[in-house]
Amino acid sequence: MTPNKEDYLKMIFELGGDTALISNKQIVAGLDVSAASVSEMVTKLVEQRYVTHTPYQGIKLTASGQQKAAMLVRNHRLWEVFLVQSLGYPVDAIHQEAEKLEHATTPEMADRLAKMLGKPQYCPHGGVIPDSDGHYLDQSRVALADVEVGQKGHIERVVDEAAVIDYIFGLGLHIEDHFTVVDKDQQTVTLHQTETGKDLPIERKRASHIFVELKD
Ligand SMILES: [Zn+2]
């Protein structure tokens, strides 16, 4: 399925485009689409005033783009919590289901769902859940790809995209797992996972979609 406008807004939000400039390249990697498709969609989003685009610097959400993205992310993640908490789904099987449900969600439904679930602030992938006014706790903005060899920390969140989630769970890496970065080269970032004692090589492209909290 080709990602639509809403998928782009969500991705820009998750990559940190609510407070910082992000690049076309980051969106290309996040959505697995061509650079041409990204340019085309960014032009549309600029026309609709959801984002600003400063050539050679990057893309950032406008206030209305941020509000729109926050609501999309809210709907998606509330359903994810519901699927795990109320329907007993395993965490690695909720993303696609939530993807279908979010498009049929009215603000009223989201509010009732949030209330029933006890107003959760994070989804099972560690992502923030904005409230009905679009406010949310700060999300980690340190990408694993930017962590230096020798630094320690834990996994805080992953970008809510099927390819990213499948990749990470496939490796046996989970939210809250502790690690030390033990090696880095052009292609990979290698983690020593504290919980299992294993070394996990992670593709750079994926490492830029895993966000961490560093131990100082
Ligand atoms: Zn999620």
Side-chain angles (χ1 to χ4, degrees), residues 14 76-77 80 94-95 123-127 158-161 165:
E14 291 205 72
H76 181 88
R77 293 178 176 168
E80 287 187 334
I94 55 178
H95 183 79
C123 81
H125 306 113
V158 300
V159 163
D160 253 324
E161 270 304 310
I165 294 166

Side-chain angles (χ1 to χ4, degrees), residues 45-195:
L45 294 175
V46 169
E47 279 166 12
Q48 294 170 14
R49 308 208 174 165
Y50 285 131
V51 302
T52 53
H53 181 211
T54 317
Y56 306 107
Q57 290 189 37
I59 297 147
K60 197 175 165 192
L61 292 167
T62 60
S64 82
Q66 183 183 344
Q67 182 66 17
K68 172 110 177 144
M71 288 305 117
L72 292 167
V73 164
R74 169 176 164 82
N75 293 345
H76 181 88
R77 293 178 176 168
L78 284 171
W79 285 119
E80 287 187 334
V81 175
F82 171 77
L83 291 167
V84 172
Q85 265 187 30
S86 309
L87 300 189
Y89 270 76
V91 173
D92 59 0
I94 55 178
H95 183 79
Q96 302 298 1
E97 303 282 53
E99 201 71 22
K100 290 173 211 144
L101 292 163
E102 68 178 79
H103 296 291
T105 311
T106 61
E108 160 97 21
M109 204 188 290
D111 288 350
R112 286 178 183 266
L113 189 56
K115 201 172 161 201
M116 185 193 84
L117 296 169
K119 303 208 169 162
Q121 289 178 314
Y122 294 98
C123 81
H125 306 113
V128 287
I129 302 182
D131 69 15
S132 53
D133 295 322
H135 299 132
Y136 48 91
L137 298 174
D138 197 23
Q139 46 181 358
S140 166
R141 297 169 191 285
V142 182
L144 179 60
D146 299 327
V147 177
E148 300 300 328
V149 172
Q151 287 190 292
K152 294 174 192 294
H154 68 266
I155 309 292
E156 190 166 278
R157 66 179 178 102
V158 300
V159 163
D160 253 324
E161 270 304 310
V164 184
I165 294 166
D166 291 348
Y167 179 82
I168 287 153
F169 286 123
L171 281 176
L173 191 62
H174 306 96
I175 306 299
E176 297 295 334
D177 278 1
H178 293 77
F179 64 85
T180 307
V181 171
V182 289
D183 195 25
K184 258 177 112 171
D185 61 30
Q186 299 290 3
Q187 272 79 44
T188 50
V189 176
T190 304
L191 295 186
H192 179 80
Q193 186 182 23
T194 313
E195 282 77 5

